[in-house]
Amino acid sequence: MDRHLAEYLREHERACGAYTVVSGTLNGMHGLAMRLSLSCLVDADHTDSAAYDADEPTTISDRNRIPTRWKERLER
């Protein structure tokens, strides 16, 4: 991973654009709110992955599920 990190960053910036953070200019999320948000994201990802691995339905209804874009991702 470390060996390819610079390559991954270049590819990410090529696809999404560069994002520069200037120290001391971030307004908004306090450290606790950021940690709670990350915790929710990790829990959701873990729960969805666990359901997929166990071949069980998730709590997200098909109506609300965002379609996957695996073919597009693999091509990129």
Side-chain angles (χ1 to χ4, degrees):
M1 176 74 178
D2 289 342
R3 182 176 42 202
H4 298 286
L5 192 55
E7 174 188 344
Y8 297 151
L9 180 59
R10 282 192 304 273
E11 181 65 23
H12 177 81
E13 288 179 349
R14 185 190 65 74
C16 302
Y19 182 77
T20 304
V21 176
V22 178
S23 181
T25 62
L26 292 179
N27 296 326
M29 282 201 173
H30 179 270
L32 177 60
M34 182 72 78
R35 289 192 299 273
L36 289 172
S37 298
L38 181 58
S39 179
C40 292
L41 177 64
V42 169
D43 180 64
D45 184 50
H46 178 275
T47 301
D48 194 54
S49 296
Y52 178 82
D53 287 343
D55 199 25
E56 295 178 359
T58 64
T59 58
I60 301 172
S61 69
D62 288 339
R63 181 182 51 169
N64 294 328
R65 185 175 290 282
I66 298 170
T68 60
R69 297 166 53 189
W70 294 117
K71 183 176 181 186
E72 178 184 331
R73 291 175 181 179
L74 288 171
E75 288 172 359
R76 291 198 90 195

Coordinates of all heavy atoms in Angstrom, one line a residue:
M1 N 0.8 -1.2 0.0 CA 0.0 0.0 0.0 C 0.9 1.3 0.0 O 0.7 2.1 -0.8 CB -0.9 0.0 1.2 CG -1.8 1.2 1.4 SD -3.1 1.2 0.2 CE -3.9 2.6 0.6
D2 N 1.8 1.3 0.9 CA 2.7 2.5 1.0 C 3.4 2.7 -0.3 O 3.6 3.9 -0.7 CB 3.6 2.4 2.2 CG 2.9 2.5 3.5 OD1 1.8 3.0 3.5 OD2 3.5 2.1 4.5
R3 N 3.8 1.7 -0.9 CA 4.6 1.8 -2.1 C 3.8 2.4 -3.3 O 4.4 3.1 -4.1 CB 5.1 0.4 -2.5 CG 5.9 0.3 -3.8 CD 6.4 -1.1 -4.1 NE 5.3 -2.0 -3.9 CZ 5.5 -3.3 -3.6 NH1 6.7 -3.8 -3.6 NH2 4.5 -4.1 -3.5
H4 N 2.5 2.3 -3.2 CA 1.7 2.8 -4.3 C 0.8 4.0 -3.9 O 0.0 4.5 -4.7 CB 0.7 1.7 -4.8 CG 1.4 0.5 -5.3 ND1 2.0 0.5 -6.6 CD2 1.6 -0.7 -4.8 CE1 2.5 -0.7 -6.8 NE2 2.3 -1.5 -5.7
L5 N 1.0 4.5 -2.7 CA 0.2 5.6 -2.2 C 0.3 6.9 -3.1 O -0.8 7.4 -3.4 CB 0.6 6.0 -0.8 CG -0.3 6.9 0.0 CD1 -1.7 6.3 0.0 CD2 0.2 7.1 1.4
A6 N 1.5 7.3 -3.5 CA 1.6 8.4 -4.4 C 0.8 8.2 -5.7 O 0.2 9.2 -6.2 CB 3.1 8.7 -4.7
E7 N 0.9 7.0 -6.2 CA 0.2 6.7 -7.5 C -1.3 6.8 -7.3 O -2.0 7.4 -8.1 CB 0.6 5.3 -7.9 CG -0.2 4.8 -9.1 CD 0.1 3.3 -9.4 OE1 1.1 2.8 -8.8 OE2 -0.7 2.7 -10.1
Y8 N -1.8 6.3 -6.1 CA -3.2 6.3 -5.8 C -3.7 7.8 -5.7 O -4.8 8.1 -6.1 CB -3.5 5.6 -4.5 CG -3.3 4.1 -4.6 CD1 -2.9 3.4 -3.4 CD2 -3.3 3.4 -5.8 CE1 -2.7 2.1 -3.4 CE2 -3.0 2.0 -5.8 CZ -2.7 1.4 -4.6 OH -2.4 0.0 -4.6
L9 N -2.9 8.6 -5.0 CA -3.2 10.0 -4.8 C -3.3 10.7 -6.2 O -4.2 11.5 -6.4 CB -2.2 10.7 -3.9 CG -2.4 12.2 -3.6 CD1 -3.8 12.4 -3.0 CD2 -1.3 12.7 -2.8
R10 N -2.3 10.5 -7.1 CA -2.4 11.1 -8.4 C -3.6 10.7 -9.2 O -4.3 11.5 -9.8 CB -1.1 10.7 -9.2 CG 0.1 11.5 -8.8 CD 1.2 11.3 -9.8 NE 1.6 9.9 -10.0 CZ 2.4 9.2 -9.3 NH1 3.0 9.8 -8.3 NH2 2.7 7.9 -9.5
E11 N -4.0 9.4 -9.1 CA -5.2 8.9 -9.8 C -6.4 9.5 -9.2 O -7.3 9.9 -9.9 CB -5.2 7.4 -9.7 CG -6.4 6.7 -10.4 CD -6.4 6.9 -11.9 OE1 -5.3 7.2 -12.5 OE2 -7.5 6.8 -12.5
H12 N -6.5 9.6 -7.9 CA -7.6 10.2 -7.2 C -7.8 11.7 -7.6 O -8.9 12.2 -8.0 CB -7.5 10.1 -5.7 CG -8.6 10.8 -5.0 ND1 -9.8 10.2 -4.8 CD2 -8.7 12.0 -4.4 CE1 -10.6 11.0 -4.1 NE2 -9.9 12.1 -3.8
E13 N -6.7 12.4 -7.6 CA -6.7 13.8 -8.0 C -7.1 14.0 -9.5 O -7.8 14.9 -9.9 CB -5.4 14.5 -7.7 CG -5.2 14.7 -6.2 CD -3.9 15.4 -5.9 OE1 -3.0 15.5 -6.7 OE2 -3.7 15.8 -4.7
R14 N -6.6 13.1 -10.3 CA -7.0 13.1 -11.7 C -8.5 12.9 -11.9 O -9.1 13.6 -12.7 CB -6.2 12.1 -12.5 CG -6.5 12.1 -14.0 CD -5.9 10.9 -14.8 NE -6.6 9.7 -14.4 CZ -7.8 9.4 -14.8 NH1 -8.5 10.2 -15.6 NH2 -8.4 8.2 -14.5
A15 N -9.1 12.0 -11.2 CA -10.5 11.7 -11.3 C -11.4 12.7 -10.6 O -12.5 13.1 -11.1 CB -10.8 10.3 -10.8
C16 N -11.0 13.2 -9.4 CA -11.8 14.1 -8.6 C -11.4 15.5 -8.5 O -12.1 16.3 -7.9 CB -11.9 13.4 -7.2 SG -12.5 11.8 -7.2
G17 N -10.1 15.8 -8.9 CA -9.6 17.1 -8.6 C -8.8 17.2 -7.3 O -9.0 16.3 -6.4
A18 N -8.0 18.1 -7.2 CA -7.2 18.3 -6.0 C -8.0 19.0 -5.0 O -8.8 19.9 -5.3 CB -5.9 19.0 -6.3
Y19 N -7.7 18.7 -3.7 CA -8.3 19.4 -2.6 C -7.3 19.8 -1.6 O -6.5 19.0 -1.1 CB -9.3 18.4 -1.9 CG -10.1 19.1 -0.8 CD1 -11.1 20.0 -1.0 CD2 -9.7 18.8 0.5 CE1 -11.8 20.5 0.0 CE2 -10.4 19.4 1.6 CZ -11.5 20.3 1.3 OH -12.2 20.8 2.3
T20 N -7.1 21.1 -1.4 CA -6.1 21.6 -0.5 C -6.7 22.1 0.8 O -7.7 22.9 0.7 CB -5.3 22.8 -1.2 OG1 -4.8 22.3 -2.5 CG2 -4.2 23.3 -0.4
V21 N -6.2 21.7 1.9 CA -6.6 22.2 3.2 C -5.6 23.1 3.7 O -4.4 22.7 3.9 CB -6.9 21.0 4.1 CG1 -7.3 21.5 5.5 CG2 -7.9 20.1 3.6
V22 N -6.0 24.3 4.1 CA -5.1 25.2 4.7 C -5.3 25.2 6.2 O -6.4 25.3 6.7 CB -5.3 26.7 4.2 CG1 -4.4 27.6 4.8 CG2 -5.2 26.7 2.6
S23 N -4.2 24.9 6.9 CA -4.3 24.7 8.3 C -4.9 25.9 9.0 O -4.6 27.1 8.7 CB -2.9 24.5 8.9 OG -2.9 24.4 10.3
G24 N -5.8 25.6 9.9 CA -6.5 26.7 10.7 C -7.7 27.3 10.0 O -8.3 28.2 10.5
T25 N -8.1 26.8 8.8 CA -9.2 27.4 8.1 C -10.5 26.6 8.1 O -11.5 26.9 7.5 CB -8.8 27.7 6.6 OG1 -8.5 26.4 6.0 CG2 -7.7 28.6 6.5
L26 N -10.4 25.4 8.7 CA -11.6 24.5 8.7 C -12.6 25.0 9.8 O -12.3 25.1 10.9 CB -11.1 23.1 9.0 CG -10.3 22.4 8.0 CD1 -10.0 21.0 8.4 CD2 -11.1 22.3 6.7
N27 N -13.7 25.3 9.3 CA -14.8 25.6 10.2 C -15.9 24.5 10.0 O -16.1 24.0 9.0 CB -15.5 27.0 9.7 CG -14.5 28.1 9.9 OD1 -13.7 28.1 10.8 ND2 -14.6 29.1 9.0
G28 N -16.5 24.2 11.1 CA -17.5 23.2 11.0 C -17.4 22.1 12.0 O -17.5 22.4 13.2
M29 N -17.0 20.9 11.6 CA -17.1 19.8 12.5 C -16.0 19.8 13.5 O -14.8 19.9 13.3 CB -16.9 18.5 11.7 CG -18.2 18.0 11.0 SD -18.1 16.3 10.6 CE -19.7 16.0 10.0
H30 N -16.5 19.7 14.7 CA -15.6 19.5 15.9 C -15.1 18.1 15.9 O -15.7 17.2 15.3 CB -16.4 19.8 17.1 CG -15.6 19.7 18.4 ND1 -15.6 18.5 19.1 CD2 -14.9 20.6 19.1 CE1 -14.8 18.7 20.2 NE2 -14.4 19.9 20.2
G31 N -14.0 17.8 16.5 CA -13.4 16.5 16.5 C -14.4 15.4 16.9 O -14.4 14.3 16.3
L32 N -15.2 15.6 17.9 CA -16.2 14.6 18.4 C -17.2 14.3 17.3 O -17.5 13.2 17.0 CB -16.9 15.1 19.6 CG -18.0 14.2 20.2 CD1 -17.4 12.8 20.5 CD2 -18.7 14.8 21.4
A33 N -17.8 15.4 16.6 CA -18.7 15.2 15.6 C -18.1 14.4 14.4 O -18.7 13.6 13.8 CB -19.3 16.5 15.1
M34 N -16.8 14.7 14.1 CA -16.2 14.0 13.0 C -16.0 12.5 13.4 O -16.2 11.7 12.5 CB -14.8 14.7 12.8 CG -14.0 14.0 11.6 SD -14.7 14.5 10.0 CE -14.1 16.1 9.9
R35 N -15.6 12.2 14.6 CA -15.4 10.8 15.0 C -16.8 10.1 15.0 O -16.8 8.9 14.6 CB -14.8 10.8 16.4 CG -13.3 11.2 16.4 CD -12.6 10.8 17.7 NE -13.1 11.4 18.8 CZ -12.8 12.6 19.3 NH1 -11.9 13.3 18.6 NH2 -13.3 13.1 20.4
L36 N -17.8 10.8 15.5 CA -19.2 10.1 15.4 C -19.6 9.9 14.0 O -20.2 8.8 13.7 CB -20.2 11.0 16.2 CG -20.0 11.0 17.7 CD1 -21.0 12.1 18.3 CD2 -20.3 9.7 18.3
S37 N -19.4 10.8 13.1 CA -19.7 10.6 11.7 C -18.9 9.4 11.1 O -19.5 8.6 10.4 CB -19.4 11.9 10.9 OG -20.2 12.9 11.4
L38 N -17.7 9.4 11.4 CA -16.8 8.3 10.9 C -17.3 6.9 11.5 O -17.4 5.9 10.8 CB -15.4 8.5 11.2 CG -14.4 7.4 10.7 CD1 -14.5 7.3 9.2 CD2 -13.0 7.8 11.1
S39 N -17.7 6.9 12.7 CA -18.2 5.7 13.4 C -19.5 5.2 12.7 O -19.6 4.0 12.4 CB -18.5 6.0 14.8 OG -19.0 4.8 15.5
C40 N -20.4 6.1 12.3 CA -21.6 5.8 11.6 C -21.3 5.2 10.3 O -21.8 4.2 9.8 CB -22.5 7.0 11.5 SG -23.2 7.6 13.0
L41 N -20.3 5.8 9.6 CA -20.0 5.3 8.2 C -19.3 3.9 8.3 O -19.7 3.0 7.6 CB -19.0 6.3 7.6 CG -18.4 5.9 6.2 CD1 -19.5 5.8 5.2 CD2 -17.3 6.9 5.8
V42 N -18.5 3.7 9.3 CA -17.8 2.4 9.4 C -18.8 1.3 9.8 O -18.8 0.2 9.3 CB -16.7 2.5 10.5 CG1 -16.2 1.1 10.8 CG2 -15.5 3.3 9.9
D43 N -19.7 1.7 10.7 CA -20.8 0.7 11.1 C -21.6 0.3 9.9 O -22.0 -0.8 9.7 CB -21.6 1.3 12.3 CG -22.7 0.3 12.7 OD1 -22.3 -0.8 13.2 OD2 -23.9 0.6 12.5
A44 N -22.1 1.3 9.2 CA -22.9 1.0 8.0 C -22.2 0.2 7.0 O -22.8 -0.8 6.4 CB -23.4 2.3 7.4
D45 N -20.9 0.5 6.7 CA -20.1 -0.3 5.8 C -20.0 -1.8 6.3 O -20.1 -2.7 5.6 CB -18.8 0.3 5.6 CG -18.0 -0.4 4.5 OD1 -18.5 -0.7 3.4 OD2 -16.8 -0.7 4.8
H46 N -19.7 -1.9 7.6 CA -19.5 -3.2 8.2 C -20.8 -4.0 8.1 O -20.8 -5.2 7.7 CB -19.0 -3.1 9.6 CG -18.8 -4.5 10.3 ND1 -19.9 -5.1 10.9 CD2 -17.7 -5.3 10.4 CE1 -19.5 -6.3 11.3 NE2 -18.2 -6.4 11.1
T47 N -21.9 -3.4 8.5 CA -23.2 -4.1 8.5 C -23.6 -4.6 7.1 O -24.0 -5.7 6.9 CB -24.3 -3.2 9.1 OG1 -23.9 -2.8 10.4 CG2 -25.6 -3.9 9.1
D48 N -23.4 -3.7 6.1 CA -23.7 -4.0 4.7 C -22.8 -5.1 4.2 O -23.3 -6.1 3.5 CB -23.6 -2.8 3.8 CG -24.3 -3.0 2.5 OD1 -25.5 -3.4 2.5 OD2 -23.6 -2.8 1.5
S49 N -21.5 -5.0 4.5 CA -20.6 -6.1 4.0 C -20.9 -7.4 4.7 O -20.8 -8.5 4.0 CB -19.1 -5.7 4.3 OG -18.8 -4.5 3.6
A50 N -21.2 -7.4 6.0 CA -21.5 -8.6 6.7 C -22.7 -9.3 6.1 O -22.8 -10.5 5.9 CB -21.7 -8.4 8.2
A51 N -23.7 -8.5 5.8 CA -25.0 -9.1 5.2 C -24.7 -9.7 3.8 O -25.1 -10.7 3.5 CB -26.0 -8.0 5.1
Y52 N -23.9 -9.0 3.0 CA -23.5 -9.5 1.7 C -22.7 -10.8 1.8 O -23.0 -11.7 1.1 CB -22.6 -8.4 1.0 CG -22.2 -8.9 -0.4 CD1 -23.0 -8.8 -1.5 CD2 -20.9 -9.5 -0.6 CE1 -22.6 -9.3 -2.7 CE2 -20.5 -9.9 -1.8 CZ -21.4 -9.8 -2.9 OH -21.0 -10.3 -4.1
D53 N -21.8 -10.8 2.7 CA -21.0 -12.1 2.9 C -21.8 -13.2 3.4 O -21.6 -14.4 3.0 CB -19.8 -11.8 3.9 CG -18.7 -11.0 3.3 OD1 -18.6 -10.9 2.1 OD2 -17.9 -10.5 4.1
A54 N -22.8 -13.0 4.2 CA -23.7 -14.0 4.7 C -24.9 -14.3 3.7 O -25.7 -15.1 4.0 CB -24.2 -13.6 6.1
D55 N -24.9 -13.6 2.6 CA -26.0 -13.7 1.6 C -27.4 -13.5 2.3 O -28.3 -14.2 2.1 CB -26.0 -15.1 1.0 CG -26.7 -15.1 -0.4 OD1 -26.9 -14.0 -1.0 OD2 -27.2 -16.2 -0.8
E56 N -27.4 -12.5 3.1 CA -28.7 -12.1 3.8 C -29.1 -10.7 3.3 O -28.3 -9.9 2.9 CB -28.4 -12.0 5.3 CG -28.1 -13.3 6.0 CD -27.8 -13.2 7.4 OE1 -27.8 -12.1 8.0 OE2 -27.5 -14.2 8.1
P57 N -30.4 -10.5 3.4 CA -30.9 -9.1 3.0 C -30.4 -8.1 4.0 O -30.2 -8.3 5.1 CB -32.4 -9.3 3.0 CG -32.7 -10.4 3.9 CD -31.5 -11.3 3.8
T58 N -30.2 -6.9 3.5 CA -29.9 -5.8 4.4 C -31.1 -5.0 4.8 O -32.2 -5.3 4.3 CB -28.9 -4.8 3.7 OG1 -29.6 -4.2 2.6 CG2 -27.7 -5.5 3.2
T59 N -31.0 -4.1 5.6 CA -32.1 -3.3 6.1 C -32.5 -2.2 5.1 O -33.5 -1.5 5.3 CB -31.8 -2.6 7.5 OG1 -30.7 -1.8 7.3 CG2 -31.6 -3.7 8.5
I60 N -31.7 -2.0 4.1 CA -32.0 -1.0 3.0 C -33.0 -1.6 2.0 O -32.7 -2.7 1.4 CB -30.8 -0.5 2.3 CG1 -29.8 0.1 3.3 CG2 -31.1 0.5 1.2 CD1 -28.4 0.4 2.7
S61 N -34.2 -1.0 1.8 CA -35.1 -1.6 0.9 C -34.6 -1.4 -0.5 O -33.8 -0.5 -0.8 CB -36.5 -0.9 1.0 OG -36.4 0.5 0.6
D62 N -35.0 -2.3 -1.4 CA -34.6 -2.2 -2.8 C -35.0 -0.8 -3.4 O -34.3 -0.3 -4.3 CB -35.2 -3.3 -3.6 CG -34.6 -4.7 -3.3 OD1 -33.5 -4.7 -2.8 OD2 -35.2 -5.7 -3.6
R63 N -36.1 -0.3 -2.9 CA -36.5 1.0 -3.4 C -35.5 2.1 -3.1 O -35.3 3.1 -3.9 CB -37.9 1.3 -2.8 CG -38.5 2.7 -3.3 CD -39.8 2.9 -2.6 NE -39.5 2.7 -1.2 CZ -40.4 3.1 -0.2 NH1 -41.5 3.5 -0.6 NH2 -40.1 2.9 1.0
N64 N -34.9 2.0 -1.9 CA -33.9 3.1 -1.5 C -32.5 2.7 -1.8 O -31.6 3.5 -1.5 CB -34.1 3.3 0.0 CG -35.4 3.9 0.3 OD1 -36.0 4.6 -0.5 ND2 -36.0 3.5 1.5
R65 N -32.2 1.6 -2.3 CA -30.8 1.1 -2.6 C -30.3 1.8 -3.8 O -30.9 1.9 -4.8 CB -30.8 -0.4 -2.8 CG -29.4 -0.9 -2.9 CD -29.3 -2.4 -3.0 NE -29.7 -3.0 -1.7 CZ -28.8 -3.1 -0.7 NH1 -27.6 -2.7 -0.8 NH2 -29.2 -3.7 0.4
I66 N -29.1 2.4 -3.7 CA -28.4 3.0 -4.8 C -27.8 1.9 -5.7 O -27.1 1.0 -5.1 CB -27.3 4.0 -4.3 CG1 -28.0 5.1 -3.5 CG2 -26.5 4.6 -5.5 CD1 -27.0 6.0 -2.8
P67 N -28.0 1.9 -7.0 CA -27.5 0.8 -7.8 C -25.9 0.8 -7.8 O -25.3 1.9 -7.7 CB -28.0 1.1 -9.2 CG -28.7 2.4 -9.2 CD -28.8 2.8 -7.7
T68 N -25.4 -0.3 -7.8 CA -23.9 -0.4 -7.9 C -23.4 0.0 -9.3 O -24.2 -0.1 -10.2 CB -23.4 -1.8 -7.5 OG1 -24.0 -2.7 -8.5 CG2 -23.8 -2.2 -6.1
R69 N -22.1 0.3 -9.3 CA -21.5 0.7 -10.6 C -20.3 -0.1 -10.8 O -19.2 0.5 -11.2 CB -21.3 2.2 -10.6 CG -22.6 3.0 -10.5 CD -22.4 4.4 -10.2 NE -21.6 5.1 -11.1 CZ -21.1 6.4 -10.9 NH1 -21.6 7.0 -9.9 NH2 -20.3 6.9 -11.7
W70 N -20.3 -1.4 -10.5 CA -19.1 -2.2 -10.5 C -18.5 -2.2 -11.9 O -17.2 -2.1 -12.0 CB -19.4 -3.7 -10.1 CG -19.8 -3.7 -8.7 CD1 -21.0 -4.1 -8.2 CD2 -19.1 -3.3 -7.5 NE1 -21.1 -4.0 -6.8 CE2 -19.9 -3.5 -6.4 CE3 -17.8 -2.8 -7.4 CZ2 -19.4 -3.3 -5.1 CZ3 -17.4 -2.5 -6.1 CH2 -18.2 -2.8 -5.0
K71 N -19.2 -2.4 -13.0 CA -18.6 -2.4 -14.3 C -17.9 -1.1 -14.6 O -16.7 -1.2 -15.1 CB -19.7 -2.6 -15.4 CG -19.2 -2.8 -16.8 CD -20.3 -3.1 -17.8 CE -19.6 -3.2 -19.1 NZ -20.5 -3.4 -20.2
E72 N -18.5 0.0 -14.3 CA -17.8 1.3 -14.5 C -16.6 1.4 -13.7 O -15.6 1.9 -14.2 CB -18.8 2.4 -14.2 CG -18.2 3.8 -14.4 CD -19.2 4.9 -13.9 OE1 -20.4 4.7 -14.0 OE2 -18.7 5.9 -13.5
R73 N -16.6 1.0 -12.4 CA -15.5 1.1 -11.6 C -14.3 0.2 -12.1 O -13.2 0.6 -12.0 CB -15.9 0.7 -10.1 CG -16.8 1.7 -9.5 CD -17.2 1.2 -8.1 NE -18.1 2.2 -7.5 CZ -18.7 2.0 -6.4 NH1 -18.5 0.9 -5.7 NH2 -19.5 2.9 -5.9
L74 N -14.7 -1.0 -12.5 CA -13.6 -1.9 -13.0 C -13.0 -1.4 -14.3 O -11.8 -1.5 -14.5 CB -14.2 -3.3 -13.3 CG -14.6 -4.1 -12.0 CD1 -15.3 -5.4 -12.4 CD2 -13.3 -4.5 -11.3
E75 N -13.8 -0.7 -15.1 CA -13.2 -0.1 -16.3 C -12.3 1.0 -16.0 O -11.3 1.2 -16.7 CB -14.4 0.3 -17.2 CG -15.1 -0.8 -17.9 CD -16.4 -0.3 -18.6 OE1 -16.7 0.9 -18.6 OE2 -17.0 -1.2 -19.2
R76 N -12.6 1.8 -15.0 CA -11.8 2.9 -14.6 C -10.5 2.4 -14.0 O -9.5 3.0 -14.0 CB -12.5 3.9 -13.7 CG -13.6 4.6 -14.5 CD -14.1 5.7 -13.8 NE -13.3 6.8 -14.4 CZ -13.2 8.0 -13.9 NH1 -13.8 8.3 -12.8 NH2 -12.4 8.9 -14.4

